Amino acid sequence: MNELNSEKAIGVFDSGLGGISVVRAIINLLPHEHLIYFGDTARVPYGSKSEETVIRFSHQISSFLKEKQVKMIVVACNTASAVALESLQKNFSIPIVGVIEPGSEAAVKVSKHKRIGVIGTASTIRSGAYRTAIRSLDPDIEVIDQSCPLLVPLVEEDWPHDGVVRQVLESYLSTFQEHKPDALILGCTHYPYLKSIIQEVMGPSVRLVDSGEEVATRVQRTLAEMNLLNPESGDPGKHKFYVSDFPQKFEEIASRFLGRPLENLFKVELEVLESYK
Ligand code: DGL
């Protein structure tokens, strides 16, 4: 039995390390919360996998986090939020929040001309999850979306932001040239790392919405509503990181994403993870 109480950790998961951008946003807003992060580094990317597979992986990780007695789960991965959130919410009794709704809400708020752009992985865009969430908030909003499959590997490789990255972005973002949106949702964990060059290519009139940052506010609200916020009088929160593999360049990428070295890092064998339902 998982007794929810305010001192328990918040579980956060992603297909890999990209979701650490979400951890960063939660730490900034809620420095007293304990966090347990799971990055599925052995099975990343999720963005090109089938819905069925992403749902299975998301269930396994959520079961793992639940066993660690987390008080809520944040699905930091846009792809998993897009395809697996509903099924997770049906099957787990703790609060589970994804990044799609908070990102959509923020974009609807800032879009004056009712035209919103969305970029994400192939699976996220194919799912239509952002489109559905935005249209349910305001059916008059025009949504233009574009999958950008090359951006995740470019960020992971830390490719310089000029040259190839700029060319690739110019090509993907040309979708938005004719009917320019006034808000663009960065619908993938990796895109905040390209924020300044995306802003340059889109131009200053377009507001970029970082779904990861927006979810931190949603986490705060959900915990407050349930009386589960960790009191601010105690020590700063402790953070633990679990991964399913230590890939090449792991340390480099991980510390770049977090902005400091990762402490309390553990590996979970894939066979163990696969034993969860
Ligand atoms: N975390 C994924 C997302 O936000 C990007 C990486 C992947 O494809 O797994 O959609």
Side-chain angles (χ1 to χ4, degrees):
M1 179 73 192
N2 184 8
E3 282 286 328
L4 293 185
N5 83 48
S6 57
E7 282 164 26
K8 298 264 158 82
I10 300 170
V12 182
F13 82 84
D14 179 41
S15 55
L17 290 171
I20 289 181
S21 57
V22 176
V23 167
R24 222 168 46 180
I26 298 175
I27 294 176
N28 284 343
L29 190 68
L30 301 167
H32 292 274
E33 293 296 336
H34 305 302
L35 296 174
I36 297 180
Y37 181 81
F38 189 95
D40 199 0
T41 43
R43 304 187 292 193
V44 67
Y46 283 10
S48 52
K49 292 195 169 63
S50 70
E51 226 172 86
E52 193 193 343
T53 300
V54 174
I55 292 175
R56 183 160 49 87
F57 291 174
S58 301
H59 274 254
Q60 290 167 351
I61 298 169
S62 300
S63 298
F64 171 85
L65 290 170
K66 180 119 192 268
E67 201 179 85
K68 299 274 172 225
Q69 310 228 316
V70 296
K71 60 184 173 186
M72 81 179 295
I73 293 178
V74 180
V75 186
C77 178
N78 284 257
T79 305
S81 295
V83 306
L85 187 69
E86 220 180 288
S87 158
L88 293 174
Q89 286 171 333
K90 265 193 210 135
N91 285 280
F92 290 84
S93 52
I94 53 174
I96 304 192
V97 300
V99 287
I100 308 283
E101 250 187 48
S104 303
E105 263 177 27
V108 168
K109 258 189 220 146
V110 300
S111 174
K112 298 212 169 44
H113 301 114
K114 293 188 182 286
R115 190 177 295 140
I116 296 177
V118 183
I119 51 176
T121 64
S123 298
T124 298
I125 299 305
R126 197 176 35 207
S127 76
Y130 273 109
R131 181 179 290 273
T132 308
I134 294 166
R135 300 293 275 276
S136 73
L137 293 165
D138 183 344
D140 293 334
I141 291 186
E142 184 189 351
V143 181
I144 311 158
D145 52 17
Q146 172 67 50
S147 66
C148 307
L150 288 176
L151 296 185
V152 167
L154 286 170
V155 170
E156 299 221 338
E157 287 293 330
D158 202 14
W159 209 263
H161 286 188
D162 264 330
V164 172
V165 171
R166 181 177 287 274
Q167 270 175 23
V168 168
L169 272 172
E170 277 170 356
S171 163
Y172 284 141
L173 300 179
S174 64
T175 306
F176 304 113
Q177 284 317 323
E178 219 172 294
H179 294 289
K180 215 171 197 175
D182 57 359
L184 177 71
I185 299 180
L186 307 180
C188 172
T189 46
H190 289 57
Y191 302 171
Y193 299 97
L194 300 172
K195 211 169 184 171
S196 50
I197 181 160
I198 293 174
Q199 187 75 72
E200 264 176 49
V201 175
M202 289 302 290
S205 61
V206 181
R207 282 280 292 274
L208 301 187
V209 175
D210 177 347
S211 292
E213 264 172 26
E214 300 303 329
V215 81
T217 314
R218 174 67 67 98
V219 169
Q220 185 182 40
R221 200 167 78 206
T222 307
L223 291 178
E225 280 165 7
M226 299 184 75
N227 238 341
L228 284 175
L229 275 173
N230 205 17
E232 297 198 357
S233 48
D235 292 332
K238 295 190 178 67
H239 313 133
K240 276 190 186 165
F241 297 87
Y242 292 87
V243 290
S244 47
D245 192 18
F246 291 126
Q248 264 184 9
K249 288 195 174 186
F250 177 82
E251 289 297 335
E252 210 182 298
I253 300 175
S255 46
R256 169 154 44 88
F257 279 15
L258 191 62
R260 62 177 159 86
L262 278 199
E263 289 152 16
N264 293 321
L265 178 63
F266 310 93
K267 182 179 159 190
V268 179
E269 294 301 331
L270 212 44
E271 302 88 80
V272 174
L273 192 59
E274 279 165 352
S275 68
Y276 288 95
K277 290 282 164 276

